[in-house]
Amino acid sequence: METLCPNLHLNPPSLSLITRKLSKPSSRPSILSCRHRFSCSRNHSSIGRRSVSVPSSSSCSTDSRSQTKWRTETGYQNSISSLMKSIPRVIFNLAVAATAVVSVNSDSPAIAESLTVAFPVSRSSEVNTVQRTLIEAWGLVRETFVDPSFNHQDWDLKLQQTMVEMFPLKSADAAYNKIKGMLSSLGDPFTRIISPKEYQSFRIGSDGNLQGVGLFINVDPTTGHLIVLSCVDDSPAFRAGINEGDELVEINGERLDGIDSETAAQMLRGRAGTTVMVKVRKGNCNERDSSFKVVNLPREFIKLSPISSAIIPHRTPDGHLSKMGYVKLANFSQTAAIDMEKVIHQLADQGVHSFILDLRNNPGGLVKAGLDIAEIWLDGDETLVNTIDRNGNMVPISTVNGHAITHDPLVVLINEGSASASEILAGALHDNGRAILVGHKTFGKGKIQLVTELHDGSALFITVAKYLSPALHEIDKVGITPDVQCTADMLNAPKTPLLKHRNRASALEADSCIMIAEHELDIQESKGTAS
């Protein structure tokens, strides 16, 4: 897809984003030395208007003061004798002309230790680059991973073993697989490394902006063709008349046979103001039909909003015709909270007096966005979520003198596809008495990841904390159970659509969970609005 692929987990959620770039070596060093500094903080910190109480025992986290420095040294022959005592002999059987030394020191009293590990430097420049990525990833995990036992294994030894396995490899892909294998040994599927291309897609999804033509594309599993899934409204592709179901045949004259969706997306993206030529086959044509369309599309800044909305006409039990605001949140991007606030104001200006927030199939995203959205609906100094760090310390994250922009009744829709930041938001609204939950039990991902860009443009996701709901309910591998299950037979009779024309609102009225949400909103309104 040109934008964030929905299957790229990606959802995945992150507490913050740290960008760290390392200079690439100009030549293969004789001896490679890496010094990785750890830093800890004992101070209280805040996130926006929220307060975060950090216990005095402190836990380590990567910040802007953390440094990873590479340097090359000479004198390989003089170093051999000291290195022999530090590492297994098998390493020296593999090393031909180079050895690397990793020195890990801590400036913090919380980690009063120093570690030196030696390993052979690969003759392959590709693999040598990945060796550096391995050390960087290993150090970050060592510093911040939520389980200090590293799944009951010696994490320092794991680095040595992985380096030995990586040394004879010839390609970067094979070397990256060794890093993935090392990370998988932690027993946490959410701690992982993604490629530079995947990270670029993740950033696009998180930032909510890209420079391109506004196409969502994917490979049809049956034909292998690149198919248009949808176009962003008012984008260059939309204005050119490209529609859902059209086949993408060529980009700038290059046939797309065998090209995957991410590669095609990279070809479509580019600096705003430039153009790209696209050839499509209209979706209603058969293989022998020559109905092709060739268009030159200008690249523009494309804003990807994760929010869509609609007004659902609703007749109350007393016969009064009212308006319900329906808001669908697809993911938690950087713009999600701002977009949410705008939509709520727009709906309120149109006479909406109750809301349905749909988090179904929302896999998560940025944790901060979830917390920001919770503040839109909550007053006072409410706890939004409780985090538990690697030392077992529980840290509540709370609003500070919050002011909700609306007190109208609210129902939140959830299902088994609602995960991570969706569960944080649903838990915050439910446990603080602000919303009724309708749907099915959520996914159960009660972990928070830190995302760090590595020196080669790849990114490392590390689970740094677990979380509980404000009422201290366990979420990880448990999920959140709704107040009301949505099954079609829970209402006495199906609801007759109030709109004559087939549109989004009438389609929503046929959704059994929305029907039940409306019923719950009627009950809330009969009891008075939330406060």
Side-chain angles (χ1 to χ4, degrees):
M1 296 173 61
E2 185 189 349
T3 56
L4 174 64
C5 176
N7 294 326
L8 185 67
H9 212 327
L10 271 195
N11 96 4
S14 29
L15 187 61
S16 62
L17 186 64
I18 300 172
T19 301
R20 176 181 302 174
K21 299 212 182 251
L22 302 181
S23 59
K24 297 181 180 179
S26 58
S27 61
R28 188 183 303 115
S30 296
I31 296 182
L32 185 63
S33 177
C34 169
R35 182 177 299 276
H36 190 99
R37 295 188 179 276
F38 298 100
S39 62
C40 296
S41 173
R42 297 175 182 269
N43 300 324
H44 293 277
S45 61
S46 63
I47 303 176
R49 293 167 288 171
R50 294 182 291 276
S51 66
V52 184
S53 300
V54 181
S56 59
S57 60
S58 175
S59 63
C60 291
S61 63
T62 307
D63 61 21
S64 59
R65 293 169 296 171
S66 297
Q67 302 174 18
T68 303
K69 298 181 179 177
W70 293 98
R71 69 174 185 268
T72 60
E73 299 175 353
T74 57
Y76 169 74
Q77 296 295 331
N78 294 333
S79 302
I80 290 295
S81 59
S82 60
L83 294 176
M84 286 289 288
K85 300 178 181 178
S86 304
I87 57 176
R89 185 173 299 275
V90 63
I91 291 183
F92 290 99
N93 293 335
L94 293 171
V96 177
T99 303
V101 179
V102 182
S103 178
V104 181
N105 296 300
S106 171
D107 296 329
S108 166
I111 308 179
E113 60 177 316
S114 177
L115 173 71
T116 299
V117 179
F119 53 86
V121 175
S122 173
R123 288 179 169 181
S124 165
S125 59
E126 284 187 28
V127 176
N128 180 235
T129 298
V130 181
Q131 284 183 308
R132 296 167 179 268
T133 303
L134 168 63
I135 296 171
E136 191 179 9
W138 167 84
L140 289 167
V141 169
R142 191 176 192 267
E143 180 179 0
T144 63
F145 186 58
V146 67
D147 175 12
S149 78
F150 307 103
N151 198 25
H152 308 289
Q153 64 178 325
D154 185 332
W155 191 239
D156 301 336
L157 179 60
K158 192 67 180 178
L159 171 66
Q160 264 185 277
Q161 293 172 341
T162 306
M163 275 294 184
V164 171
E165 294 171 1
M166 188 179 289
F167 175 75
L169 302 178
K170 304 300 182 184
S171 71
D173 287 343
Y176 266 111
N177 286 335
K178 293 301 179 182
I179 298 180
K180 293 176 181 179
M182 180 185 75
L183 296 175
S184 69
S185 72
L186 294 169
D188 173 34
F190 306 110
T191 296
R192 67 199 190 282
I193 190 170
I194 61 175
S195 69
K197 280 188 178 181
E198 291 172 319
Y199 183 51
Q200 184 178 15
S201 292
F202 171 79
R203 289 295 301 271
I204 289 170
S206 297
D207 295 346
N209 291 282
L210 63 83
Q211 296 180 61
V213 298
L215 277 178
F216 289 80
I217 58 176
N218 208 350
V219 175
D220 185 314
T222 304
T223 64
H225 297 163
L226 283 165
I227 303 299
V228 175
L229 298 180
S230 64
C231 295
V232 177
D233 287 346
D234 200 34
S235 65
F238 178 87
R239 296 193 298 269
I242 297 177
N243 300 312
E244 175 184 347
D246 289 352
E247 178 191 343
L248 203 58
V249 179
E250 293 180 5
I251 298 177
N252 285 333
E254 182 178 341
R255 294 282 301 179
L256 299 178
D257 300 328
I259 299 295
D260 61 79
S261 58
E262 180 57 37
T263 301
Q266 293 286 343
M267 297 167 69
L268 291 170
R269 297 178 193 138
R271 184 169 51 84
T274 60
T275 61
V276 57
M277 187 181 71
V278 174
K279 184 176 183 179
V280 299
R281 187 200 307 268
K282 301 307 292 180
N284 294 327
C285 302
N286 58 43
E287 289 291 335
R288 288 178 287 183
D289 198 312
S290 59
S291 179
F292 291 95
K293 184 175 184 177
V294 178
V295 291
N296 284 310
L297 300 176
R299 295 185 176 101
E300 298 176 358
F301 287 97
I302 307 295
K303 185 178 185 300
L304 303 173
S305 175
I307 293 178
S308 56
S309 62
I311 294 177
I312 305 175
H314 173 69
R315 195 170 297 280
T316 62
D318 61 4
H320 174 67
L321 186 61
S322 66
K323 295 179 179 179
M324 290 184 172
Y326 170 83
V327 182
K328 170 69 176 178
L329 180 62
N331 60 70
F332 292 84
S333 69
Q334 288 184 7
T335 65
I338 295 174
D339 293 344
M340 175 74 70
E341 192 165 347
K342 289 179 181 177
V343 165
I344 293 172
H345 282 305
Q346 290 169 356
L347 293 174
D349 290 344
Q350 296 177 69
V352 165
H353 294 293
S354 58
F355 290 88
I356 299 172
L357 175 58
D358 193 347
L359 299 179
R360 290 177 297 180
N361 299 315
N362 182 329
L366 301 178
V367 169
K368 182 181 182 299
L371 299 176
D372 288 343
I373 291 174
E375 289 182 334
I376 291 174
W377 302 92
L378 292 170
D379 283 322
D381 301 330
E382 306 288 1
T383 297
L384 303 178
V385 69
N386 295 289
T387 65
I388 301 176
D389 65 18
R390 64 189 286 167
N391 297 317
N393 301 310
M394 188 167 73
V395 182
I397 300 177
S398 306
T399 60
V400 177
N401 193 26
H403 297 282
I405 66 173
T406 178
H407 297 93
D408 291 331
L410 173 66
V411 166
V412 177
L413 301 181
I414 55 175
N415 68 359
E416 58 279 0
S418 307
S420 194
S422 289
E423 294 170 296
I424 288 178
L425 176 57
L429 297 177
H430 177 267
D431 288 3
N432 286 296
R434 183 63 182 88
I436 299 294
L437 302 183
V438 171
H440 297 279
K441 182 185 289 188
T442 61
F443 180 82
K445 182 179 182 294
K447 295 178 179 178
I448 297 174
Q449 281 72 44
L450 192 73
V451 184
T452 304
E453 181 179 358
L454 305 181
H455 80 283
D456 62 350
S458 60
L460 183 67
F461 291 70
I462 306 175
T463 296
V464 296
K466 299 178 182 178
Y467 64 81
L468 305 177
S469 76
L472 302 182
H473 294 143
E474 183 75 40
I475 295 176
D476 195 48
K477 300 180 181 179
V478 176
I480 296 176
T481 301
D483 299 298
V484 183
Q485 295 281 337
C486 63
T487 53
D489 58 358
M490 291 188 67
L491 294 180
N492 292 330
K495 189 175 187 298
T496 302
L498 295 175
L499 299 184
K500 295 180 180 179
H501 302 290
R502 179 180 178 84
N503 57 23
R504 183 168 189 187
S506 60
L508 292 172
E509 288 180 329
D511 186 320
S512 63
C513 289
I514 290 179
M515 293 166 63
I516 293 174
E518 293 180 46
H519 180 68
E520 291 299 320
L521 287 172
D522 285 339
I523 295 174
Q524 285 191 54
E525 288 183 331
S526 68
K527 296 178 180 179
T529 57
S531 60

